[in-house]
């Protein structure tokens, strides 16, 4: 069965620090990959997606993610976080099925 | 302009009651979904409909019955509510299966 792992459950950073959130999935075939963000009290919003092509994907608000097929990973990065990035971040994978499977989420807290 | 809307936003009810949550999207998408987010923020798909037809029924108790009167609406009816049904329920839509999802604001259900 497909699964998505986010090993960082809770990340605490100061403003201007760099961010990398891990995401690994278990499926050997073609995948579509996504990162969603949920700000406090709000609904989920798409940050970025990878379907094919350049494995380095740029999203909104300065976020990017790199698909490394050999490592089954799709880590999210941001060079300099802001207080407003405080949110829950979800990696999600669609592995050639009609279901989008979400990871357990990473809570990011950014302190000024 | 609300793309995916849900009503009500909050729902507090007693065990054993029956309740409904409504969802509407004005994006012209063909596919709609219900996801459940538990207290640990884990998101799990419950149902998906494509053009009013049920595509995914993810081993949800049959107390939960989705209904799609047209492709812009997907309602969720829950019979005989239990304590464990307390969660946030998100409706979502996408142009087609496997496309990125647009999420609604969520309905926080509390069963007492």
């Amino acid at each position: 069965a497909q699964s998505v792992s986010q090993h960082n459950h809770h990340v605490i950073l100061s403003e201007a620090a760099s961010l990398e959130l891990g995401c690994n999935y278990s499926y050997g075939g073609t995948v579509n990959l996504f990162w969603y963000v949920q700000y406090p009290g709000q609904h989920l919003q798409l940050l970025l997606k990878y379907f094919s092509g350049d494995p380095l994907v740029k999203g909104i608000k300065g976020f990017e993610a790199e698909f490394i097929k050999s490592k089954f990973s799709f880590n999210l990065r941001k060079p300099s976080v802001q207080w407003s990035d405080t949110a829950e971040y979800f990696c999600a994978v669609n592995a050639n099925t009609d279901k989008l499977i979400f990871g357990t989420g990473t809570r990011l807290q950014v302190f000024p | 302009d609300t793309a995916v809307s849900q009503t009500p936003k909050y729902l507090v009810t007693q065990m054993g009651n029956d309740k409904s949550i409504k969802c509407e999207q004005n994006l012209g998408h063909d596919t709609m979904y219900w996801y459940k987010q538990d207290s640990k923020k884990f998101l799990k798909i419950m149902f998906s409909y494509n053009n009013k037809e049920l595509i995914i029924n993810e081993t949800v108790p049959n107390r939960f019955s989705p209904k799609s009167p047209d492709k812009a609406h997907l309602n969720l009816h829950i019979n005989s509510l239990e304590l464990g049904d307390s969660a946030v329920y998100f409706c979502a839509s996408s142009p087609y299966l496997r496309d990125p999802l647009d999420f609604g604001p969520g309905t926080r259900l509390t069963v007492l």
Side-chain angles (χ1 to χ4, degrees):
Chain A
Q2 303 168 40
S3 66
V4 182
S5 300
Q6 291 182 244
H7 303 295
N8 316 106
H9 297 295
H10 190 187
V11 173
I12 302 173
L13 294 173
S14 299
E15 273 192 320
S18 65
L19 170 72
E20 180 158 3
L21 301 182
C23 173
N24 289 89
Y25 61 91
S26 63
Y27 184 71
T30 303
V31 290
N32 294 337
L33 300 158
F34 307 83
W35 276 97
Y36 284 83
V37 61
Q38 187 177 24
Y39 297 104
Q42 295 190 27
H43 62 284
L44 284 94
Q45 302 169 46
L46 182 68
L47 265 183
L48 46 79
K49 63 182 187 284
Y50 172 81
F51 282 7
S52 64
D54 188 344
L56 186 60
V57 179
K58 296 204 183 294
I60 60 171
K61 305 189 181 190
F63 285 92
E64 64 178 32
E66 186 174 12
F67 170 49
I68 303 180
K69 190 173 181 180
S70 60
K71 293 185 178 180
F72 300 91
S73 70
F74 189 55
N75 292 354
L76 181 71
R77 299 195 292 246
K78 186 170 183 178
S80 176
V81 294
Q82 300 172 314
W83 177 78
S84 59
D85 293 323
T86 294
E88 194 90 19
Y89 291 82
F90 295 91
C91 180
V93 175
N94 184 310
N96 223 23
T97 71
D98 301 329
K99 287 191 293 190
L100 189 61
I101 307 296
F102 282 84
T104 49
T106 297
R107 184 178 172 211
L108 172 65
Q109 279 184 291
V110 180
F111 288 96
Chain B
D1 284 348
T2 304
V4 182
S5 59
Q6 294 178 230
T7 53
K9 190 167 181 179
Y10 298 97
L11 190 50
V12 181
T13 188
Q14 301 283 340
M15 265 197 311
N17 284 350
D18 304 338
K19 290 293 177 187
S20 292
I21 307 172
K22 296 188 175 182
C23 177
E24 177 181 0
Q25 54 97 1
N26 62 7
L27 297 166
H29 290 169
D30 279 351
T31 312
M32 295 186 74
Y33 310 80
W34 278 108
Y35 275 83
K36 180 181 179 180
Q37 187 176 47
D38 63 23
S39 57
K40 294 183 180 176
K41 300 280 191 176
F42 183 60
L43 273 158
K44 191 168 182 343
I45 189 167
M46 300 173 70
F47 302 102
S48 80
Y49 270 72
N50 187 57
N51 231 339
K52 301 193 299 175
E53 289 195 27
L54 181 66
I55 302 295
I56 294 171
N57 181 342
E58 195 65 8
T59 59
V60 176
N62 56 16
R63 297 183 295 105
F64 290 79
S65 51
K67 284 199 171 40
S68 183
D70 55 61
K71 73 175 194 177
H73 295 84
L74 180 62
N75 304 324
L76 183 66
H77 188 76
I78 316 169
N79 288 328
S80 303
L81 277 155
E82 301 178 357
L83 292 176
D85 298 332
S86 295
V88 181
Y89 292 84
F90 285 99
C91 178
S93 72
S94 63
Y96 192 62
L97 295 164
R98 306 181 197 177
D99 283 327
L101 306 184
D102 285 285
F103 281 87
T107 296
R108 183 175 292 278
L109 171 65
T110 304
V111 182
L112 303 174

